[in-house]
């Protein structure tokens, strides 16, 4: 999920969820948890505690609120909701008033609570609660700000709270006549955190003689481990009851269990069914699983047979990262990388092992990027996710030869793909089932430890060609929930805890489905544990957090601090070299700190954690993922080369273009909140004073590494496709290719972290598919032989694109839109040149906000600016001369001129007169004949730059 409609808060309608965020929106169960659940059938076993019992009679005339009474049927339905919160051992919060009446807590071990004719029945325990006239405690309000105005009720100190938490629970209020006014079930995360927060071992722990199992399940009534010899089928050869101590269920078994499989049988009350259920699930701390994650594999990751040759030395051999400012990121999908690569053996295509080859087309391309300076490869989700069967024999395919013979604007390709899209081998992977295990479909064998070894070999191989590895982690939601869903794990073990619920008790779905709640202690702990696991056990080098804004800021800071504590000596990795970043969008129930201080763009100021800068994307391309698809931006022709879209009057379009220029300049200065520049009105303003259309600040960063600049990502149309959509139809494919180069140049030459989608440098097309998460290999094809960019392979899938088909169809049908191999080769060269230029000088990678403020200037500013032109200079100091320190031994001054105009531009700049500037040597040696026509005249300070071109001028130190 991710950046498809990714946008900062200023683009989200108040009630809208970003469809980007979720390629899963079509799933029929996505809205299930927002509705009252259906009742289940199973019952619990006997209970060891002796509870007082006795009937409690309620008046048929009951009240659901202070203002209005409600019918008996409504009162009976109230047990479908969980509107009260048990927030600490002795405090329950509920938004009701008791006045002169009373409030009681009811518990049923067998989950038989019911209200019939206004009478509460089926309980084992009834406890009177005392109304506290003060507010909720400050620590409770901080943790649960959405219930800060609820009334606190005190649970008597003598109550056996630990035993009660294993029951079905409800609270009810009564008036002074004993008439029932209100009744509801409870949400328990607060009290579970208060009583059972735990930092000890979890999962399977191996010693020389035995293996021990630890499971956190404080609400469970019983837990058994079923041990199997095989990954699927058969009966368990052992069934071991676990013993509980303080919410931790544990047992110890023989070392002979290694290589076997197990699953847990958890007997627990489940609020989604209002029943005690027997849930069967894997271990949430699994480090190996069977195919499709149905059973946990007993596997010791430190076994010699799981360690690739040279693994222990990898930390010392990794490509160096002297500063996070030196990072550049290339986003890549594991299957996309090799599934269409004919130079890869068929058995290895689409999987981890394709990265270990020495001379495939894809590997040679990555080597080319690495040699140019690229530092990190960001892999789309590689944990165990849903949507793709691990068993490859079950996959369905479409005849590629048939697809290739269809017209470029035909609807038949997408129809054939749609018929098998949920049964093929393709999915982006943003539907997590188990966070801590590599995905089985990318391995040669999804059973046993094969996936673990091959994943390690992939990381090792990428490191050895000079590329560090970033994992795309999805902690904001889970694919399954409830006691019966085979993709549900955590919600079977401690129901109602791991998934965030609304004030009615139903699961929040603003991230698409089953939002997780990192504000809960053990959820946060599991996220941090998982991050450490991937770094220590798989030696990965960074993390991109999907929908990071739905996690708490504290979670991100704990993860960062935990990583910083890792050392080569103690852990085999250097934690200080791990970079973390993510999507800091602020929406849904967490918006404006609705569930605590969340990890949104503005809240992360000063943390050193990066977040995606959607402002620069929208300014460069135009509009936003929520706007009109033809809305133009800085490089796509706004004002200067208009398309058929109505952008308003000339004055309106001119103002829009000037505003987009300001946004881009702020981004090129790392989107720093306090960076001072002259805006299009001629005013000196800080980055935070440059505003979006809804008056939100553009800038949010305190330092350059808190900004991840990008113009395209896996979500939305590819860069080439969006350029082809927004530019006028009558321009040439040569022009569109130059615009593609222009967009990537802005990202590559900006301060901050540059981020590129795989294929930006190949003019990659997905036939204008705006959401290819499940569009199969056909629409997601990559060709590292540079023969084709995949343009015109049919209309994209109807589900997400049909409303744009009238715009897409004539473009796909027009053969003049399709680039040739020469265009693709030129794009690859342009991209590698940009990387080489970025890494030719540390001035493009300044490390502090102070350095950027002192050295970076923009020259085409104020009311007399030339539309469509950005002129940025970066100044270096001189050894032995007061003022700026010297950072670059090669160049003393750099000027970047971005000309988005369709014509050559002449720009005299008195401030840059008498410099000894010349075109960058890399551009002088380029095969691009256009950029070589760029000139600079020292006597006038005049720059001449060709149309749709970014030219870089440098002042060599040899001229000093």
């Amino acid at each position: 999920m991710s950046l498809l409609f990714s946008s900062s808060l200023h683009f989200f309608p108040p009630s809208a969820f970003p469809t980007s965020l979720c390629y899963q929106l079509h799933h029929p169960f996505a809205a299930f948890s927002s509705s009252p659940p259906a009742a289940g059938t199973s019952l619990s076993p006997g209970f060891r505690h002796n509870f007082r019992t006795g009937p409690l009679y309620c008046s048929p005339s009951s009240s659901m609120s202070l203002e209005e009474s409600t019918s008996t049927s409504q009162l009976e339905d109230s047990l479908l909701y969980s509107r009260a919160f048990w927030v600490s051992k002795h405090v329950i919060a509920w938004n009701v008033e008791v006045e002169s009446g009373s409030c009681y807590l009811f518990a049923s071990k067998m989950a038989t609570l019911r209200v019939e004719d206004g009478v509460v029945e089926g309980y084992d325990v009834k406890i009177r609660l005392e109304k506290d006239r003060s507010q909720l405690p400050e620590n409770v309000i901080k943790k649960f700000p959405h219930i800060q105005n609820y009334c606190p009720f005190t649970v008597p100190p003598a109550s056996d709270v630990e035993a009660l938490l294993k029951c079905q629970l409800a609270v009810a209020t009564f008036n002074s006549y004993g008439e029932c006014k209100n009744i509801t079930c409870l949400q328990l995360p607060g009290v579970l955190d208060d009583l059972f927060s735990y930092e000890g071992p979890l999962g399977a722990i191996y010693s020389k003689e035995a293996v021990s199992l630890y499971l956190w399940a404080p609400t469970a009534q019983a837990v058994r481990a079923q041990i199997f010899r095989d990954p699927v089928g058969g009966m368990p050869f052992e069934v071991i009851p676990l013993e509980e101590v303080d919410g931790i269920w544990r047992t110890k078994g023989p070392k002979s269990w290694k290589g076997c499989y197990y699953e847990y049988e958890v007997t627990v009350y489940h609020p989604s069914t209002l029943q005690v259920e027997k849930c069967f699930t894997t271990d949430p701390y699994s480090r190996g699983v069977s195919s499709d994650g149905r059973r946990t594999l007993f596997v010791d990751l430190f076994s010699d047979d799981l360690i690739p040759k040279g693994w222990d030395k990898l930390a010392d051999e990794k490509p160096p990262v002297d500063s996070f400012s030196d990072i550049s990121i290339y986003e890549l999908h594991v299957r996309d990388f090799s599934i269409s690569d004919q130079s890869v053996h068929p058995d290895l295509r689409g999987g981890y092992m394709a990265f270990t080859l020495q001379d495939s087309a894809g590997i040679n391309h990555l080597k080319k990027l690495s040699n140019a300076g690229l530092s990190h490869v960001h892999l789309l989700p590689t944990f165990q996710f849903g949507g793709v069967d691990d068993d490859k024999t079950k996959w369905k395919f479409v005849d590629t030869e048939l697809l290739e013979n269809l017209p470029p604007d035909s609807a038949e390709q997408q129809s054939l793909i749609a018929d098998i899209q949920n049964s093929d081998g393709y999915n982006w992977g943003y539907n997590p089932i188990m966070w801590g295990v590599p995905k089985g479909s990318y391995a040669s064998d999804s059973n046993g430890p094969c996936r673990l070894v091959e994943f390690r070999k992939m990381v090792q191989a990428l490191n050895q060609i000079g590329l560090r590895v970033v994992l795309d982690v999805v902690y904001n939601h889970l694919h399954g929930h409830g006691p019966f869903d085979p993709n549900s794990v955590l919600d079977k073990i401690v129901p109602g805890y791991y998934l965030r619920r609304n004030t009615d008790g139903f699961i929040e779905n603003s991230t698409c489905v089953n939002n997780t709640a990192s504000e809960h202690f053990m959820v946060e702990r599991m996220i941090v544990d998982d991050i450490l696991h991937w770094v220590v056990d798989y030696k990965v080098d960074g993390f991109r957090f999907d929908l990071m804004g739905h996690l708490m800021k504290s979670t991100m800071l704990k993860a960062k601090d935990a990583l910083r504590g890792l050392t080569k000596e103690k852990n085999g990795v250097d934690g200080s070299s791990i970079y973390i970043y993510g999507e800091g969008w602020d929406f849904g129930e967490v918006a404006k700190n609705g569930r605590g201080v969340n990890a949104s763009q503005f809240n992360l100021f000063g943390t050193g954690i990066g977040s995606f800068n959607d402002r620069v994307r929208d300014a460069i391309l135009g509009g936003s993922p929520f706007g009109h698809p033809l809305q133009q931006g800085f490089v796509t022709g706004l004002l200067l080369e208009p398309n058929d879209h109505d952008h308003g009057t000339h004055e309106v379009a001119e103002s829009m273009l000037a505003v987009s220029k300001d946004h881009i300049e702020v981004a090129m200065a790392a989107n720093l909140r306090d960076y001072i520049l002259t805006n299009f009105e001629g005013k000196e303003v800080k980055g935070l004073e440059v505003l979006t259309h809804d008056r939100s600040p553009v800038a949010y960063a305190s330092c350059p590494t808190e900004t991840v600049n990008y113009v395209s990502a896996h979500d939305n149309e590819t860069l080439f496709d969006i350029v082809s959509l927004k530019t006028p139809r009558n321009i040439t494919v040569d022009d569109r290719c130059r615009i593609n180069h222009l967009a990537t140049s802005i990202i590559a030459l900006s301060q901050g972290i540059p981020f590129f989608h795989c294929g930006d440098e190949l003019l990659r097309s997905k036939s204008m598919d705006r959401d290819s998460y499940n569009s199969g290999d056909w629409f997601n094809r990559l060709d590292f032989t540079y023969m084709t960019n995949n343009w015109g392979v049919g209309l994209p899938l109807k589900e997400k694109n049909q409303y744009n088909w009238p715009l897409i169809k004539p473009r796909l049908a027009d053969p003049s839109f399709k680039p040739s191999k020469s265009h693709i080769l030129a794009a690859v060269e342009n991209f590698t040149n940009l990387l080489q230029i970025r890494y030719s000088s540390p001035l493009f990678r300044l490390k502090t906000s102070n350095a950027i403020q002192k050295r970076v200037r923009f020259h085409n500013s104020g009311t007399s600016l030339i539309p469509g032109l950005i002129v940025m200079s970066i100044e270096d100091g001189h050894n032995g001369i007061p003022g700026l320190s010297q950072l670059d031994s090669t160049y003393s001054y750099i000027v970047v001129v971005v000309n988005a105009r369709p014509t050559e531009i002449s720009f005299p700049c008195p401030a840059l007169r008498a410099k000894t500037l010349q075109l960058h040597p890399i551009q002088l040696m380029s095969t691009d004949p256009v950029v070589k026509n760029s000139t600079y005249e020292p006597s006038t300070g005049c720059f001449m730059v060709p149309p749709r071109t970014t030219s870089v001028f440098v002042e060599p130190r040899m001229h000093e």
Side-chain angles (χ1 to χ4, degrees), residues 6 183 260 287 438 471 514 542 552 560 575 637 642 746 881:
S6 66
I183 188 168
C260 296
R287 296 300 178 241
L471 295 190
N514 303 322
M552 294 299 107
K560 180 184 175 185
I746 295 172
I881 298 177

Side-chain angles (χ1 to χ4, degrees), residues 344-403:
V344 175
H345 190 282
D347 292 344
L348 303 183
R349 290 177 197 163
Y352 302 127
M353 291 301 287
F355 291 92
T356 67
L357 303 179
Q358 296 300 310
D359 198 32
S360 69
I363 288 297
N364 286 335
H365 184 74
L366 288 184
K367 288 178 180 177
K368 186 179 299 184
L369 301 184
S370 175
N371 291 337
L374 185 75
S375 69
H376 285 62
V377 166
H378 159 163
L379 298 176
L380 266 66
T382 52
F383 47 73
Q384 185 64 26
F385 58 79
V388 174
D389 201 306
D390 282 350
D391 184 350
K392 299 177 176 64
T393 64
K394 297 179 180 179
W395 293 353
K396 296 180 180 178
F397 300 88
V398 176
D399 183 354
T400 302
E401 187 174 340
L402 169 64
L403 296 174

Side-chain angles (χ1 to χ4, degrees), residues 631-632 638-639 642-656:
Q631 170 70 55
Q632 292 177 291
L638 178 61
L639 177 70
N643 57 22
D644 296 332
H645 181 62
D646 182 7
H647 292 88
T649 65
H650 182 275
E651 290 74 19
V652 169
E654 187 174 36
S655 176
M656 291 170 61

Side-chain angles (χ1 to χ4, degrees), residues 724 727-729 731-740 817:
S724 298
T727 51
R729 288 178 56 185
I731 69 171
T732 68
V733 68
D734 291 347
D735 294 330
R736 293 192 181 93
C737 292
R738 293 203 70 79
I739 291 170
N740 191 103
F817 274 74

Side-chain angles (χ1 to χ4, degrees), residues 544-610:
R544 177 266 193 191
F545 285 75
D546 185 63
L547 298 189
M548 178 174 62
H550 267 65
L551 305 181
M552 294 299 107
K553 178 180 177 181
S554 64
T555 305
M556 296 301 300
L557 291 176
K558 285 184 180 179
K560 180 184 175 185
D561 289 345
L563 289 171
R564 295 299 179 268
L566 300 177
T567 65
K568 289 182 184 179
E569 294 73 23
K570 185 173 63 175
N571 311 104
V573 292
D574 176 12
S576 67
S577 69
I578 308 299
Y579 181 60
I580 57 177
Y581 60 102
E583 296 177 299
W585 322 136
D586 193 46
F587 69 97
E589 76 281 0
V590 301
K592 299 179 180 178
N593 301 322
R595 294 300 183 97
V597 180
N598 63 319
S600 63
Q601 287 170 329
F602 294 105
N603 286 341
L604 290 177
F605 178 87
T607 64
I609 296 170

Side-chain angles (χ1 to χ4, degrees), residues 35-39 75-82 184-185 271 274 504-506:
S35 305
L75 190 63
E76 293 169 353
D77 288 342
S78 293
L79 289 177
L80 297 173
Y81 300 87
S82 297
T184 189
C185 292
L274 306 183
D504 284 332
F506 304 124

Side-chain angles (χ1 to χ4, degrees), residues 185-237:
C185 292
L186 288 94
Q187 299 186 38
L188 304 180
V191 65
L192 293 179
D193 282 354
D194 189 27
L195 295 180
F196 296 107
S197 294
Y198 171 75
E199 296 180 345
L202 288 169
I205 307 299
Y206 296 85
S207 64
K208 290 183 179 180
E209 301 81 19
V211 56
S212 299
L213 297 178
Y214 298 87
L215 180 71
W216 186 76
T219 62
Q221 297 178 3
V223 176
R224 300 196 303 172
Q226 300 188 354
I227 317 297
F228 299 84
R229 299 197 187 279
D230 299 314
V232 65
M235 298 296 291
F237 68 86

Side-chain angles (χ1 to χ4, degrees), residues 170-182:
V171 287
T173 61
F174 305 86
N175 63 19
S176 57
Y177 300 102
E179 297 171 331
C180 187
K181 299 281 288 179
N182 211 341

